[in-house]
Amino acid sequence: MNSSCRPKAERDLLGSLLAFYRNKTSTSTVPINSTPTGDLTAGGSTTLGNKTYTSITFSWPEATNISGTASYKVYASIVNTWTTLEEVEANGTLYQDFTDNITSITIPNLIAFQFYRFDVIVRDSRGTKVLYPHFCVQMDPNVTGTLTCKTELTGVVTTFAGSCGAAGSFATGAIIPTARYNGNAGMAFLNNKLYVADSTNFRIRVIDMTTFIDSSLAGSGGTGYTNGTGGSAVISNGVNLVTDGTDLYYIEIDNKGVRKIDPNTGTVASFVGQVAANPAPAYVDATGTASRFNLLFTGAYNFWDGALYIGDNNQRIRKSTVPGAVVSTVAGNGTGGQSDGPALTSQIGDPNGLIPYGNLLYIGSYSATTIRRLDLSTATLSSITAGLNTSSGKNFAIMGKFMYIADETAHVIRKMDLTNSSVVTLAGLVSSPGTTNGTGTAARFNGPAHMLFVGNSLYLADRGNNCIRKIE
């Protein structure tokens, strides 16, 4: 039947269908442009909303001068310095493909403390695409706002607090250049305050990052074991201090356990391990104060599973639930050495450095030249060849694809590419301790210990120098 003989309503419907399919074919064959061929514009910058340790919400203004429907594509990538839409689409990590008419998104299941870059691309019905301005953040709610999308450190070393090479006792209300530390080690950042384990002064110190005033949160200045608030609490020496985003956890060497500290009140309570000063070493998996440990040199809280991981000199990695304090063993068979395979039957020698990366836990050993990697999902251990010094403490921080390693007795900060395990020296000179500030190998450290990122800056406990250094 000739179309001219069809009823008018049928001809109109057929014409509409033909136009629809022509438009679909036309849209699918129009080249995708990274710059507008018409007037499509991104409409402005993204706006950072709520951020936790593992999730982020952000929004963007609706695109303008749209031809047809606007669709938006979202990338959540490890921090990088791409500048073009083509680079983002070729290299970025896609979170959500083109979706019509959305102007905000919440992205969960990110890695705590990691640095991310977020990109939004808008596309109209012609196939024209425009890249919104990108932004980068560190996944720490205490670091507000966005950051420069810096992918690695340049190695510029300065002194942040204390006087390098000058040990001293606590003085009330000192500004950080005049503050003195003695064997300072672990650090945690919470509520815009930097908490410091001043190990041999037997105090937990706190630096207000707005006023830069140093004060004492907890500890009497003498060693022992007494729970209490502020100066009435007695703690022993320790080399690590971590946070779960609410409380602080102090890993004690001599007291062979973990104390829980309220950062608002300075109240110190028993968490896991025997309630005693310098108890005999033991090994017991149990709940709270019924559990037993050997010397403890490291710990880390993992936001991936909400657990505290502890490096025990029983040649094991122990795990404590938070807040339940149920202690179990997750890796190591109790004998020294290094072997890979099922976590509970493999060997871990004297673990003294831990850093979580989602379901992966990186482990530093005092006696080994390698870094171990515990896959918490599969309960398997593997080794990363890193060429580090033996008889040296190893502590970690991560920015993007790089792991930074404090190689303690080598007196240097290393940089390892997590994609291929290649290692270079970022700052310091091997076997050359000192106090010098500078860039790269011109800088000197003395027993660098625990590190953490606050924004784009790396803060380092230069333990042998009794000061805190800052690396950009």
Side-chain angles (χ1 to χ4, degrees):
M1 181 177 179
N2 189 291
S3 62
S4 62
C5 298
R6 296 179 186 272
K8 182 178 185 302
E10 188 176 346
R11 292 200 308 272
D12 290 344
L13 176 60
L14 181 61
S16 298
L17 289 171
L18 288 172
F20 172 77
Y21 283 108
R22 286 193 193 104
N23 287 337
K24 282 186 67 70
T25 305
S26 174
T27 299
S28 65
T29 57
V30 169
I32 301 300
N33 301 296
S34 59
T35 56
T37 56
D39 297 322
L40 177 68
T41 54
S45 298
T46 51
T47 302
L48 179 63
N50 181 59
K51 179 175 62 168
T52 71
Y53 288 96
T54 58
S55 70
I56 189 169
T57 299
F58 58 94
S59 59
W60 55 91
E62 187 176 355
T64 57
N65 301 317
I66 303 164
S67 174
T69 301
S71 297
Y72 299 88
K73 190 176 189 180
V74 180
Y75 288 83
S77 313
I78 295 299
V79 62
N80 216 299
T81 55
W82 307 310
T83 58
T84 67
L85 186 150
E86 289 86 356
E87 288 176 318
V88 172
E89 290 200 309
N91 304 293
T93 301
L94 179 64
Y95 176 74
Q96 180 168 293
D97 211 340
F98 284 113
T99 304
D100 292 349
N101 299 320
I102 59 169
T103 55
S104 67
I105 198 164
T106 297
I107 301 178
N109 303 319
L110 299 172
I111 297 172
F113 305 111
Q114 178 57 287
F115 293 77
Y116 285 92
R117 169 182 170 139
F118 300 96
D119 290 275
V120 176
I121 296 172
V122 58
R123 182 182 68 185
D124 68 10
S125 297
R126 297 166 301 182
T128 301
K129 294 190 289 188
V130 176
L131 177 66
Y132 275 74
H134 65 272
F135 68 100
C136 288
V137 300
Q138 183 190 18
M139 292 309 300
D140 181 344
N142 299 283
V143 179
T144 58
T146 62
L147 300 169
T148 302
C149 292
K150 184 166 67 174
T151 59
E152 57 185 300
L153 299 174
T154 59
V156 178
V157 179
T158 57
T159 299
F160 174 72
S163 176
C164 293
S169 58
F170 169 72
T172 303
I175 59 173
I176 56 174
T178 61
R180 295 293 178 266
Y181 305 91
N182 194 350
N184 56 295
M187 297 182 293
F189 182 62
L190 186 64
N191 300 325
N192 204 39
K193 293 179 174 62
L194 185 66
Y195 294 88
V196 182
D198 192 3
S199 183
T200 314
N201 277 325
F202 309 112
R203 292 180 185 270
I204 304 300
R205 309 272 287 271
V206 54
I207 297 172
D208 188 306
M209 299 295 276
T210 300
T211 64
F212 299 106
I213 298 294
D214 174 282
S215 57
S216 180
L217 176 70
S220 65
T223 185
Y225 197 115
T226 303
N227 289 326
T229 298
S232 67
V234 183
I235 59 178
S236 74
N237 62 327
V239 292
N240 215 349
L241 185 68
V242 301
T243 182
D244 64 353
T246 302
D247 294 304
L248 302 171
Y249 296 86
Y250 181 50
I251 290 85
E252 296 184 279
I253 300 174
D254 290 343
N255 285 344
K256 304 176 181 65
V258 181
R259 310 283 279 281
K260 182 178 179 179
I261 304 173
D262 186 323
N264 299 307
T265 65
T267 300
V268 178
S270 301
F271 185 63
V272 295
Q274 187 172 352
V275 183
N278 196 20
Y283 169 61
V284 178
D285 280 342
T287 299
T289 56
S291 58
R292 297 291 182 268
F293 300 87
N294 199 333
L295 298 177
L296 303 183
F297 290 105
T298 187
Y301 181 81
N302 193 349
F303 288 87
W304 177 76
D305 60 358
L308 177 67
Y309 288 86
I310 304 162
D312 191 348
N313 215 37
N314 277 318
Q315 322 301 344
R316 296 178 172 96
I317 303 298
R318 317 282 289 279
K319 171 185 173 180
S320 173
T321 60
V322 176
V326 178
V327 176
S328 59
T329 300
V330 295
N333 62 13
T335 62
Q338 310 290 325
S339 64
D340 296 338
L344 289 173
T345 58
S346 298
Q347 294 171 298
I348 296 178
D350 45 63
N352 75 333
L354 295 176
I355 189 170
Y357 189 82
N359 67 308
L360 302 176
L361 185 70
Y362 291 94
I363 306 164
S365 168
Y366 186 83
S367 59
T369 62
T370 58
I371 294 171
R372 314 297 297 288
R373 182 170 56 202
L374 172 61
D375 189 321
L376 299 170
S377 298
T378 62
T380 55
L381 271 170
S382 57
S383 297
I384 301 172
T385 302
L388 304 175
N389 280 33
T390 56
S391 302
S392 186
K394 301 166 183 71
N395 293 285
F396 313 115
I398 294 176
M399 172 189 272
K401 69 173 185 175
F402 292 107
M403 175 186 286
Y404 294 90
I405 306 162
D407 202 345
E408 190 172 1
T409 57
H411 309 296
V412 294
I413 308 302
R414 317 272 196 184
K415 182 179 73 174
M416 182 174 75
D417 189 326
L418 289 171
T419 64
N420 58 22
S421 300
S422 61
V423 178
V424 297
T425 298
L426 173 73
L429 190 64
V430 173
S431 301
S432 300
T435 61
T436 306
N437 289 323
T439 301
T441 56
R444 295 290 182 271
F445 306 95
N446 188 0
H450 292 271
M451 305 179 291
L452 82 167
F453 275 101
V454 179
N456 280 331
S457 298
L458 181 65
Y459 291 81
L460 164 71
D462 196 357
R463 192 177 189 199
N465 277 329
N466 306 294
C467 63
I468 300 171
R469 312 291 283 279
K470 184 178 180 180
I471 308 177
E472 305 283 0

